[in-house]
Each structure stands twice: as C-alpha cells, then as structure tokens.
Amino acid sequence: MSGGKVAVFSAGSWGTAFSLVLADAGNDVTMWARREEVATAINEQRENPEYLPGVELPPHVSATHDVEKALHGADVVVLATPSQSLRGNLTEWAPYVEPGATFVSLMKGVELGTLERMSQVIAEVTGAGPDRIAVISGPNLAKEIARREPAASVVACEVEEVAKHLQARIHSPAFRPYTSVDVLGCELGGAYKNVVALSVGMAVGLGFGDNTTASVITRGLAETARLAMALGANPLTLMGLAGLGDLVATCSSPLSRNRTFGEKLGQGMTAAEIYATTRQVAEGAKSCASLLALAERTGIDAPIAHHVTAVVDGRMTAQEMMDSFIARDTKAETD
C-alpha cells in the first residue's frame, strides 16, 4: 500500500526508530525535533547522532524544528514525546494539525494528576473522536527496531477499519503490526510494564538471579491484568504482544531504559542522581505514582506499583522493597 506524509513528534530514539519503520513502509516522514541542532544533524548527516548514532536514515525521512512545516500535509501524526509533557506540547501543536488527521500514540504512560491515558489526553486536547486516535504498543526496543531486526507490535484503535488502515501504513519488511480494538488494554499494558521493569532492574542491581526476576515479571503481569480487566480491558490483550510481549522485552533487556534505571536504584543511586546522568526518559519512574493512584481509585491491590513508587520517591530502599515483597501475606496464585 502506498503511504502518505507522516509527521513524527519527536526525534528521540523511539521516534527516530519508528520514522525508519514508516519510511521502509513507503511513507514520507517529517520528524519534529525540539532542538534545531538535532533536526540539522538529521538532515545533514542522515542519522540522529545524539539518540541513534550509526543508524543511517532512509531518504524519505527529514527533520525540522518548525511545527507548522512538520504537520503540513500530514494525514497521520505520530506522538512519541514523554507522556507527562504531552498535554502542554499537544496544546501548542494542535492548531497546525490537518483536519481529519489520525493521531498515533507511541507513548507509554498515565498522566499525573488526571490519571488519564495518552489517548484520553489526545481526545481532550484536540477534540478528535475514537476514529482518529490509535496507539501502538509491543516489544519495541528502539535500537533493535532501528537495526531492522524482526519485530511485531499491535496497532489499536476502537474503530477496526482505522486500525487496519494504519496496519498497512506501518507494515515494513522487518516490522509486523497486528490490529486490536482494545486501546485501553494496550495502553495499560504499555504503561505498567515500565513500572514492573523498574522492579526487575532493582532486583538485578541487588545481584539477584533469574528466579527472582521471573517471579517479579509474573507477578507484574498479574497486577497489570487485575487493573486492566477492572477498567474493562480484554484479558487476552495482556497475554499478547502489548502485554506479555512488551513486558518480557522491557524487563529482560539491558537496552531497556526502565530496567537500567531500576538497576541503578538497586545499586544505591537515588532517582535524582539517575535523572542527572541521562537525557533518556524512564517513563516508569514518572508514571508509577499515577498508576498506583489509578489502582487505588479502582480498588485494585497494586503492591509492585506501591513499592516502586516508594523507592523512586526515596521512602524505601530497593532491598527493603524486596524484603517487603517476600513478607507480604501469601495468597492463592489466582489472586
């Protein structure tokens, strides 16, 4: 299927890697970069030296710092900004979006304060209906995607025809998208797995092995499913690419920024110290508090979100977190 113009906001590692996928699938891609020097480097060097050095970008990928230029003529707008800055950014960008353009969220977080998922924020800011809002979620480590290693993901939209259209627009030789109408399940799976990856990283940072990490991953999946199902998600979504698949990749790979953030917490660094050493955003460190609040509002027991939030806030050490997990009252495996 021939593509059209796609605008990608922004030019971080995942936005850049997904721009490569879009170009491979036949689209003309314009990336918006927050810093003009990043856009200049992409256009002149044909790579993003700051976020994905050494990865050559296809000819159909260009970059700009000009919002209006990025959005002009784009029938698909891909949003890959940090989730907590989406509302402010999108409020600024929305007036330049083409009428009828479809929004695609690559973001994996829940907004602090409002406890809204990213699709809800998009709808609220832009007035777009469910037929114009989609999310993409799955095991998508940016560096592997950029190397064109085989990968699969889920494109979810409440309107199945829109999901299928987007599936065709992003299907490249190395990237296989599946479709879903369970936007809620995909978004919660994507957001919660970052929190679980933080706890797995802490276990690794403390020196624990595969039994511990497998236990945390499994309990993390159960916790995610409890909340998602209580809010109306399809439980099968959590067993698929946007649930289990994303969870395994993010918790198992040293390429995962959330797992890496957790490892540093396990080694004794504070969240503030970690923030000071990297430009990359570990979404789980920002969204753990909002996911915990969402679970509490829904009446769902969320021990992983509770403990991770306490460690990120400096109210508990990683070792105390692990000790507390083991000390919890035992329950049936189905709880």
Side-chain angles (χ1 to χ4, degrees):
M1 177 179 181
S2 59
K5 180 182 173 182
V6 180
V8 176
F9 291 70
S10 58
S13 54
W14 185 207
T16 303
F18 196 71
S19 294
L20 185 149
V21 170
L22 287 163
D24 284 351
N27 299 280
D28 287 316
V29 183
T30 302
M31 299 168 62
W32 176 84
R34 181 174 54 85
R35 288 176 289 133
E36 193 160 6
E37 60 267 28
V38 174
T40 300
I42 289 170
N43 292 329
E44 293 180 353
Q45 301 177 36
R46 303 310 310 154
E47 68 175 59
N48 188 336
E50 187 163 327
Y51 291 98
L52 281 178
V55 176
E56 182 179 356
L57 294 173
H60 291 291
V61 174
S62 62
T64 182
H65 178 62
D66 185 324
V67 172
E68 190 171 3
K69 181 179 177 181
L71 287 167
H72 181 70
D75 66 327
V76 175
V77 179
V78 174
L79 299 167
T81 65
S83 57
Q84 302 306 329
S85 62
L86 173 64
R87 184 179 295 274
N89 285 329
L90 191 54
T91 299
E92 178 185 337
W93 301 333
Y96 304 103
V97 175
E98 297 283 358
T102 302
F103 294 95
V104 178
S105 169
L106 303 186
M107 301 163 291
K108 296 178 177 179
V110 171
E111 189 176 46
L112 291 162
T114 67
L115 308 186
E116 289 184 354
R117 293 173 283 111
M118 295 299 98
S119 65
Q120 294 174 307
V121 175
I122 294 168
E124 199 171 285
V125 172
T126 68
D131 61 324
R132 291 179 53 208
I133 300 174
V135 305
I136 291 176
S137 193
N140 299 140
L141 297 162
K143 289 183 180 178
E144 294 184 2
I145 297 289
R147 291 196 294 258
R148 294 182 173 89
E149 296 181 13
S153 195
V154 176
V155 53
C157 179
E158 290 182 22
V159 179
E160 187 175 15
E161 292 77 9
V162 176
K164 288 181 176 179
H165 171 76
L166 290 169
Q167 178 187 40
R169 289 285 294 272
I170 65 176
H171 190 178
S172 76
F175 190 82
R176 168 70 187 272
Y178 292 79
T179 61
S180 172
V181 294
D182 187 10
V183 172
L184 185 153
C186 287
E187 286 190 295
L188 284 179
Y192 223 107
K193 58 91 186 184
N194 288 327
V195 179
V196 181
L198 285 171
S199 60
V200 169
M202 286 186 237
V204 173
L206 288 164
F208 298 128
D210 294 338
N211 284 337
T212 305
T213 57
S215 298
V216 175
I217 290 171
T218 307
R219 298 315 305 161
L221 179 61
E223 187 168 317
T224 306
R226 276 200 304 272
L227 176 59
M229 290 167 62
L231 291 170
N234 183 341
L236 292 177
T237 301
L238 283 307
M239 296 297 117
L241 289 164
L244 180 61
D246 201 4
L247 181 68
V248 169
T250 306
C251 291
S252 303
S253 175
L255 294 175
S256 161
R257 62 188 72 173
N258 288 280
R259 173 177 148 147
T260 300
F261 195 104
E263 285 186 43
K264 292 177 179 178
L265 288 172
Q267 292 161 0
M269 293 178 70
T270 66
E273 289 170 341
I274 302 168
Y275 288 136
T277 63
T278 180
R279 282 187 181 275
Q280 302 277 20
V281 176
E283 289 281 17
K286 299 289 187 179
S287 288
C288 54
S290 51
L291 283 164
L292 174 60
L294 184 60
E296 289 175 340
R297 190 178 74 183
T298 313
I300 296 299
D301 185 33
I304 291 178
H306 173 80
H307 286 82
V308 168
T309 301
V311 176
V312 169
D313 289 349
R315 294 180 281 108
M316 178 181 280
T317 67
Q319 183 63 60
E320 288 169 343
M321 180 192 81
M322 298 306 299
D323 291 343
S324 181
F325 277 163
I326 301 301
R328 280 173 53 84
D329 289 340
T330 54
K331 295 183 177 182
E333 216 282 322
T334 53
D335 285 354

